[in-house]
Amino acid sequence: MSFPRQFKKALQKHPIFRRIFYSFYFRLILLDFKKNQLLIIFWLVFFGIITNKVAPRYGVAYLFWGPEYFDHISYIAYFITGFACGGFIMSYNIASYIKNGYRFPFLATLRNPFMKYCLNNFFFPLTFTLLYCSKIFSFLQDEGNFATWEIMLLIISFVAGNLFFLFLAFTYFFRTNKNITKLYGIQSSEITSGRERAMHNSNGERNPHLIKESRDWYVETYLITPFKLRLVRSVRHYKKEMLKAVLRQNHKAAFLFQLLTIVSLISLGLCSSFSAFEIPASASIFLLFTMFLMLFSSFYTWFRGWSTVIFFSFLIAFNYLHKADFLSNQNRAYGLNYHTTKAIYDYDHFKQIDLNYENLNTDRNATLDILNKWKVKNTDSSDPERKPKMVFVNVSGGGSRSALWTLYTLQYTDSLSHGKLMNRTQLMTGSSGGMVGAAYIRELYLLKKQGKIPSYYSPEYRSNIAKDVLNPIAFTVATSEWLFPLKSFMVDDHKYSQDRGYAFEQRLEENTGNVFDKRLDDYRLPEANSYIPMMIFSPSIVNDGRKMLISPQGISYITQNAKADKTTYNKLFDALEYSRFFKEQNAKNTLFTSVLRMSATFPYISPVVSLPSEPRIEIMDAGLRDNYGLETTFRFIKTFNDWIAENTSGIIIIQIRDKHKNIPIDENPSQTLAQALSRPLGSFYGNLFQVQDFNQNQQIQVADLWCKSPIDIIDFELRNELNDRISLSWHLTNKEKKKVSASLYLEENQAAIKRLMELLK
C-alpha cells in the first residue's frame, strides 16, 4: 500500500479528524461549496459589504455599520437591521434545506428536523454575525459619539432583532415541521443503540449502513444542541416512501413560509408613504436579497433540477414583460405631459433649432435685461463709477457630500462678505449633489429677501441637506420596484408611478422643509428680475451624450454653436434646450425636484429619466459631460463678452469641488492578473473627471485669448483623499459630515477665502 493511501486511512481513523470531517455541520459547509455556489455568492456579497470590500467608494458598509432610522443611529435602527438580517439567515437555511435535505435521510427521524438542520448549518450565519458585530463596534468607536456601554447596547439590539425573527420563524416551523413520528405515528428515538455505537467506533471504520444511505455525503455525528453531539442512527428499517413523504411535507411547510414572507414584503411596499416604514437602507438590502433567495428556492421546490433554467427563463420573460405600459418601470419627470404628441428627436429638428436666430436674439435680449438689473442692484450709490465683479459659481457632483460642501462653502463665504457674494452671483451651474446644495442656498436666499426667514446661514440648513436620502430609496427597491409599480400618484391630472425617483424627491422635500415645492417656471420671474442668480442644469442624454440644458429662461445662445468665419466644418449639435424642445409637453410645469433629480441621476440609486420624445430619450447625471459646469459658464460669458467687459471690473469663477484638483499620482504597484485585466477599463472610468479637468484647463488657457475681462478662478476643494474618502452617496456618517465642515479650514481653502474677500471689495 502506498504512503499517501496509508496516511489517508490512518487519518480517517483518527478520532478528532472523524469528529470534524464526518460531522453534519462540516459536511454542510463542504456541500455549499460543491453544490450550492449561489448561496455562497450571496454570503460573499454580504461579507464583502461589511468588510468594506464591496463598493467602498460608495460607502455601502456605512449603511450597515451605522444604520439610521428617522435620521438617527438608534437601538430601533439596529433592531430592525438585525430583524432583516435574521430574515436573510432564515431564507438561507430554508434554501439550503430544500436543496440538501434529501441527501440526509436520518433527518426525517429527528424531532423538529428543520430546526436540527439549522443548528448544524451555523457556519456562515454565525461567522457573519460575529464579524458584523465587531465591525459595528469598531465603526461606532471611530465615530466618537458613543460610550462603550452604549455601543454594546446597540450591538445587543442588533442581535436581539436577529434572534426575534429566528424565534418567530422557528415557532412557525415547530408547529408545521413534522418527522416520521408525527406523520405516521411510528415511534422513533434519537438515542443511538449500543450496537450502532459499536459500528461507528469499531476500529475507526465507517458505519456500512450509513454509507449505503448517505448519497455520497456520509455523516456520523450531528449537533443536537450548540454544545452537544449525537451519533447518527441508521434509517434502514424505515420505508423509503415514508422518509420521502416527511421530506415533501417539510418542503411544503417551508414553501408556505416563503410565500407568506414574500407577500408580506410586497405588502410593505404599499406602506411606503408612511415614514415609520422607511427602515434603514441596510435592512432593505437584507430584505431584497432575502426576496431573491426565497424566490429561487421556491422555484427549486417545484422544479428541482430544472429550477435554475426555469428561474432564469422567468427572469428573461419578466424582463420583456416590462415593455408593457402597465408593468413599465420607466421613470418620468413629474409634471411633464407624456400623453400628448411626442417631441421629434432627429437631426432635421436640430438644424431647425440651430438656425432659429429669432429665438437666439429674443433670448439674448431677455438675458441682457437680467444683466442690467444685476448691474443696478450691484452698483454702489456712493461710488456709481466703480464697477463690481461678476460671480459665477461652478459646483461638482458627489451626492450628499457635494450638497453639504456647496451649501456650507457658500454660507460661510457669503456671511464673511456680508451678502455680497450671493448678490453678485449671476449664474450657478454644475452637476449632481453640488447643484442640490446650490439650489438650496439660492432658495433660502430668496426666502430671506421675501422676509420669510431671518437668515440663511443657520446650521439647521446644513443639517437638513446632509440628512439621509437612501432609506426610502432602498425600501422602495426592496419591496416593490424590483417587481412592478404598486402605487401611483397624480400631478396635474397626469399619473406617475411611485418608484425610486418619487422616493428621492419626497425625502429631499421632507429634509429641506418643502422649500422645493415649486415648478420650473416658478423661478422664471425671480431670475428675470435678478432677485436670485440664474441656474442652468445640464444633465446628459444617455442615447448620444448630448446635453439637455434646463432653465426657466430662454438660453438658446448656449445651445447654439457660434458662427465660424474662417473655418468650414460639419457642425455637431451638442445641446438642446429643455423648455423649448418639450414646450408642447408643458416642460415649464416640471416639478423642480424632478429637475434636480435629472441633474443628479446616479445609476441604480435614482433611475434614469425617460422623456416624451420620438425616439424616446433618457436623461442621467450632468457629470457625464461637464462635472464642474465650466463649459456652460464659458458659453454664457462668451455670449455676453462685450457687456461684461463694459459693465464689470472682471469675472470671478468659484469652483466648489468635491476633491482636490491635483490628485495623488498612482504608484501602480504590482498587480494580480485580474487587476491587470481590469485596469484599462477601470482607469478610463476612474479618470473621467480628471480628463475633464485637463480639458477645462485648456479651455481656461484659450479663454485668455477671447475673453475681454480679467478672470479669477478660485477653487474650494474638499478634503477627500483616497485612503480617507468621503462616500459618494446620498448618506453621510457623522464623521463624514464633520470632515466636510472641517475642510473649509484647510490652509488652501482659507487662502481662497481671503483672496475672494479681496476681490469682492
Side-chain angles (χ1 to χ4, degrees), residues 63-64 67 76-86 132 158 280 282-283 286:
L63 302 176
F64 286 77
I76 297 177
Y78 278 99
F79 182 87
I80 294 173
T81 301
F83 187 83
C85 179
Y132 192 174
F158 168 79
S282 53
F286 275 126

Side-chain angles (χ1 to χ4, degrees), residues 353 417 487 696:
I353 293 170
S417 69
K487 298 175 68 177
Q696 291 181 359

